[in-house]
Amino acid sequence: MVVPERLIVGRHDDEAVVHVILKALSFLIFFRERLQMGGHLHNENIPFIPDVLQLDYDGRPTFWAECGPSDPARLKKIVAKAPDAEIWWVRETTEEMPQMPARLKKAGVRAGRIRMLGFPEDMITGLCQSLRAKNEIFWMPAAFDPPSLQFDFNNEWIEAPFEIGEY
């Protein structure tokens, strides 16, 4: 499956630049058929807007990515409301990865339902500083064994590992 030639990632007035970067990277890493940024859930029982979403043909979430800081209580509700979805919590740092499972457990999140991905903070900081109104990314598919990224961002070649975990 080929990543779209153009990807538009809008930024809301109250949205941090780092959140935009995390959404774009998540979309590219997890790209699959019918994947979308945000998206409209056709289920009034799910009161959240995902950062990255894939719906099945019946409108149920099959993939959900929460990018950046997220309240573990929110993640608990997402797990309950989207029981068949693959759920990822994507962070702008790898430093918090060891504490994330304990935070999820303390919030009562059911184990075995959330995967976590953390990027090197210096890579995310550099991408935030290089972000323009229009950006060019030449994307190479991410590797998960071992986890690593390779891509060109605005004529700067980036090679970086990332961390994955499960709870």
Side-chain angles (χ1 to χ4, degrees):
M1 185 156 276
V2 178
V3 173
E5 188 173 310
R6 289 180 187 252
L7 177 62
I8 298 173
V9 183
R11 180 176 173 216
H12 302 285
D13 290 336
D14 62 343
E15 190 172 30
V17 172
V18 68
H19 195 236
V20 173
I21 294 289
L22 292 176
K23 287 191 306 186
L25 289 175
S26 296
F27 183 88
L28 293 167
I29 288 171
F30 298 115
F31 183 74
R32 56 191 75 190
E33 184 180 345
R34 296 184 324 279
L35 192 67
Q36 56 188 311
M37 296 267 187
H40 180 70
L41 294 166
H42 305 285
N43 184 336
E44 43 191 64
N45 291 326
I46 304 176
F48 306 117
I49 298 173
D51 291 315
V52 181
L53 173 71
Q54 178 191 32
L55 299 173
D56 67 13
Y57 291 111
D58 293 325
R60 290 183 302 260
T62 57
F63 177 90
W64 187 304
E66 282 288 300
C67 299
S70 189
D71 181 10
R74 174 185 166 103
L75 291 164
K76 180 181 178 181
K77 290 177 187 173
I78 292 168
V79 165
K81 302 285 185 179
D84 299 323
E86 175 185 345
I87 301 170
W88 284 84
W89 188 9
V90 180
R91 297 304 315 265
E92 65 277 9
T93 179
T94 57
E95 292 178 15
E96 293 182 11
M97 293 288 288
Q99 293 85 28
M100 289 165 64
R103 290 181 57 208
L104 293 168
K105 183 176 182 176
K106 183 177 179 182
V109 177
R110 188 168 38 123
R113 288 289 290 125
I114 295 183
R115 296 180 184 169
M116 300 164 290
L117 188 149
F119 293 110
E121 192 171 355
D122 59 336
M123 179 191 84
I124 297 298
T125 300
L127 292 173
C128 288
Q129 292 169 348
S130 302
L131 192 66
R132 304 179 197 151
K134 277 189 167 185
N135 300 277
E136 290 187 18
I137 299 175
F138 178 76
W139 186 255
M140 304 294 292
F144 279 82
D145 190 21
S148 62
L149 299 172
Q150 293 183 335
F151 61 100
D152 183 284
F153 186 75
N154 294 331
N155 295 316
E156 183 180 342
W157 184 250
I158 310 286
E159 287 188 48
F162 58 91
E163 287 187 28
I164 52 177
E166 288 186 35
Y167 172 75

